[in-house]
Every structure is written in structure tokens, then in C-alpha cells.
Amino acid sequence: MILIQTENAIIARLRLGLGRMVKEVGSYGGELDGALEEAIRRFPAAWVTFGGVSKTDPTSTSRQKFKATGQFVVMVGDRNVRSEAAGRHGGPGSGEIGSYSLVYAVRRLLSSQDLGLPIAELMPGRVRTLFNTQQERQAFSVFACEFQTAWIEEALPRDHWPCPPGAGAPDAESSPDAVFARFQGKLGQPDPDWLRTGLYYHLSPDDGVPDAQDILTRSKS
């Protein structure tokens, strides 16, 4: 699934690129929605999440393919016991990166990257302040860095059901529709195996009867 692949690829690139700037890089799991004390102890950190689809446009006259435009968000946070400004600007210590430097580093690492996936290059968007405050003698700040991308989604033919590749197929596990088989959703009938293709040649003027033909047959090997 392209959303999972993109999020995982962003995390992998940030882990390599940020190095020792942060203690952790991971998928956002509500760290900032619960007890902030626990989240602050893990700073400096970066967390990645999907921000939603903002629009979807058809890309073919048959309206079977759509271009989905969506956002991914990287939240970065740092703390500092000296001052609120030091939490944002950083300091001379090895552990004082500062949230501003993290914002720069994340945008530097991700902007214009497609991560080797079938998506449009990540375009940097807004940077929003989530927290910029002090708690129990610790100043901390958190910013959300937004990135926009796009990908192609293919619709099912009318009245059809998903039909992932059969078990043992090379792309069985990577198929986006594998989720339906895994959780026992209704499935359609698989496409029949290709056996042969007939090519018919008509000379001009065309009398409606083929003048020659070729039959391409799948090898049994």
C-alpha cells in the first residue's frame, strides 16, 4: 500500500540523514496527545504521520484512474533546561540541536525526493507550531513540517470486487488488494490466464475478411 510504503521510506531516510541529531525517528503514535512528560524525555525526536488526502482528480477519460494529492507530516521536537529560546535555537552542547535546526534538516532531507516510489516528488509546505512552552523547568518546542505528494489510484470496474493475486504469486503480498483476502472481504474472480492472442491483417481495400493472421501462444515451459 502506497501510504505505508511512503511513511516507511520517509522514516528510513530521516533515520539515516538525521543521525545523532535525534534520539528517535518513528511513526507517530500519539506521543504528543498523552502525557507530555514522557514525550519530552524522548526529545530531540522526529515522528512521521499521514496528513490526509486534499483532493482527487481523474486522470483518464474512462475515470478508472485518479490522481490523489495528499500530505505527510513530520513532527520534530526538542527541549532545553536553560531557556525557551535555547530549545528552539540550540546551544553549544552536543545534545542541544534545537528545533529550528531539526526543521531545516527535515526539509533539506525530504524536499523534492520521491524515495524510489511511484509518487510525485515531496514538496515542502507549511511549518506549524504545535508547542512552544515551558513545563517543570524545561522549555520545549514542537513543529509540524508538511510535505505534499501525489500518486495514482486505480478504481475497480463497475460492479467488480477486489481480486488480489493468488497465493504463491510473486506480487501476492505486495498487492494493495491483499488486505481484502487477509481479512476475508468479498473477492471477485481472478482474470483468466493468458493463453493466446490472434493478430489479423487486412489489406486495403478491406473486404472484411482477414488476408493473413498470426496466433501467439503462451509457452508451456
Side-chain angles (χ1 to χ4, degrees):
M1 184 181 296
I2 195 63
L3 300 182
I4 297 174
Q5 292 175 322
T6 303
E7 181 175 304
N8 288 341
I10 290 174
I11 291 172
R13 183 169 175 85
L14 290 180
R15 280 177 177 164
L16 288 174
L18 294 178
R20 295 185 178 180
M21 296 182 205
V22 294
K23 291 181 179 178
E24 69 173 270
V25 179
S27 180
Y28 181 65
E31 286 80 359
L32 300 172
D33 299 328
L36 285 176
E37 295 83 359
E38 174 60 27
I40 293 171
R41 283 195 289 269
R42 296 158 71 175
F43 285 172
W47 294 300
V48 182
T49 189
F50 175 56
V53 172
S54 56
K55 65 175 181 176
T56 305
D57 301 307
T59 62
S60 66
T61 55
S62 65
R63 293 185 176 270
Q64 289 297 112
K65 292 186 177 182
F66 298 88
K67 178 182 178 182
T69 300
Q71 287 77 36
F72 285 84
V73 182
V74 182
M75 288 165 280
V76 296
D78 196 13
R79 63 172 177 166
N80 199 292
V81 297
R82 291 191 293 111
S83 69
E84 181 269 338
R88 291 180 286 112
H89 299 170
S94 59
E96 296 183 289
I97 178 65
S99 54
Y100 284 175
S101 293
L102 289 177
V103 168
Y104 167 79
V106 165
R107 287 165 64 89
R108 180 70 166 161
L109 289 169
L110 296 181
S111 296
S112 296
Q113 302 297 316
D114 66 7
L115 309 170
L117 297 172
I119 61 173
E121 296 174 347
L122 292 167
M123 297 300 296
R126 297 187 304 166
V127 177
R128 297 181 287 111
T129 301
L130 298 183
F131 294 96
N132 191 17
T133 186
Q134 189 165 347
Q135 183 171 342
E136 295 184 357
R137 299 181 182 180
Q138 290 193 91
F140 70 98
S141 57
V142 183
F143 293 91
C145 306
E146 298 180 357
F147 294 88
Q148 178 175 291
T149 185
W151 58 91
I152 300 300
E153 297 178 347
E154 188 168 352
L156 290 169
R158 185 176 299 171
D159 298 328
H160 282 58
W161 297 92
C163 189
D171 55 348
E173 292 300 321
S174 61
S175 168
D177 282 344
V179 65
F180 295 98
R182 179 184 175 191
F183 292 98
Q184 299 180 348
K186 181 175 174 59
L187 301 176
Q189 294 298 317
D191 294 331
D193 292 336
W194 176 79
L195 299 178
R196 64 180 63 85
T197 298
L199 302 176
Y200 299 91
Y201 307 94
H202 297 259
L203 300 178
S204 182
D206 186 2
D207 59 3
V209 178
D211 297 284
Q213 68 178 21
D214 285 325
I215 303 296
L216 305 180
T217 305
R218 186 182 67 175
S219 172
K220 295 182 179 180
S221 60

